[in-house]
Amino acid sequence: MNKPVLRPIAPAELIFLAQGVMKSAKFPQLASIDGDQPRLRPVSPVRTDGFTVYVANLRIYHKTGEIAANPKVELCYVDDHHNQVRITGTAEILTDKPLFEEIWNSNPLLRQYLGSLENPLLIVYRIQPNRVRYMVEWALEYYEVPVG
């Protein structure tokens, strides 16, 4: 197999391609830091607005402490064609009550497993991107995707 040749891609097309990978892959890996040890786990976003990703979590999970100590995280999406999108950003606890309610109402699994919007264990993180990169299968070089 020949290494793909990077070709110029217009910013609007990069955004379209990156968001296509995100939709196709659905379940990214979330990287956080546990002291001096990186930790990686699959997550199920409960909402995506462009490259801002919302992830539900329980306060009892280990990543809660990791993110509290260091909110810098990275999400990695890989589709069936091995194209990648990496979103580097900062995780913050969602405090916007109307948006929280909208996410709750649109996610039957949250309602099924957590029972109530008032469940004290529930946290929703908003991951604000500060860098988004896109890689074509095995190209070994990233395109910088415009954020915002």
Side-chain angles (χ1 to χ4, degrees), residues 59-76:
R59 292 182 193 278
I60 59 174
Y61 287 170
H62 196 76
K63 70 178 166 280
T64 305
E66 294 168 13
I67 291 172
N70 184 347
K72 294 178 181 178
V73 298
E74 187 165 270
L75 292 166
C76 181

Side-chain angles (χ1 to χ4, degrees), residues 6-117:
L6 287 185
R7 62 177 175 81
I9 300 177
E13 186 180 354
L14 273 174
I15 292 168
F16 177 78
L17 291 169
Q19 289 177 339
V21 169
M22 293 168 66
K23 286 178 186 154
S24 175
K26 295 182 187 170
F27 303 109
Q29 301 287 320
L30 173 72
S32 59
I33 298 293
D34 181 11
D36 64 351
Q37 178 64 53
R39 301 286 180 204
L40 184 69
R41 80 261 306 151
V43 293
S44 300
V46 293
R47 180 183 179 113
T48 302
D49 293 328
F51 296 109
T52 301
V53 179
Y54 298 80
V55 175
N57 186 47
L58 296 181
R59 292 182 193 278
I60 59 174
Y61 287 170
H62 196 76
K63 70 178 166 280
T64 305
E66 294 168 13
I67 291 172
N70 184 347
K72 294 178 181 178
V73 298
E74 187 165 270
L75 292 166
C76 181
Y77 293 80
V78 181
D79 70 12
D80 290 342
H81 302 287
H82 302 269
N83 299 312
Q84 291 182 34
V85 172
R86 300 177 77 87
I87 299 173
T88 304
T90 303
E92 60 187 22
I93 295 174
L94 180 63
T95 58
D96 179 335
K97 185 80 169 167
L99 181 54
F100 193 89
E101 289 174 356
E102 185 179 317
I103 289 170
W104 174 265
N105 291 331
S106 68
N107 285 274
L109 285 176
L110 282 179
R111 295 191 309 272
Q112 178 181 349
Y113 287 104
L114 297 173
S116 165
L117 179 64

Side-chain angles (χ1 to χ4, degrees), residues 131-142:
R131 186 178 190 194
V132 177
R133 294 174 293 158
Y134 168 77
M135 183 192 298
V136 176
E137 175 189 25
W138 305 117
L140 306 179
E141 292 182 48
Y142 287 97

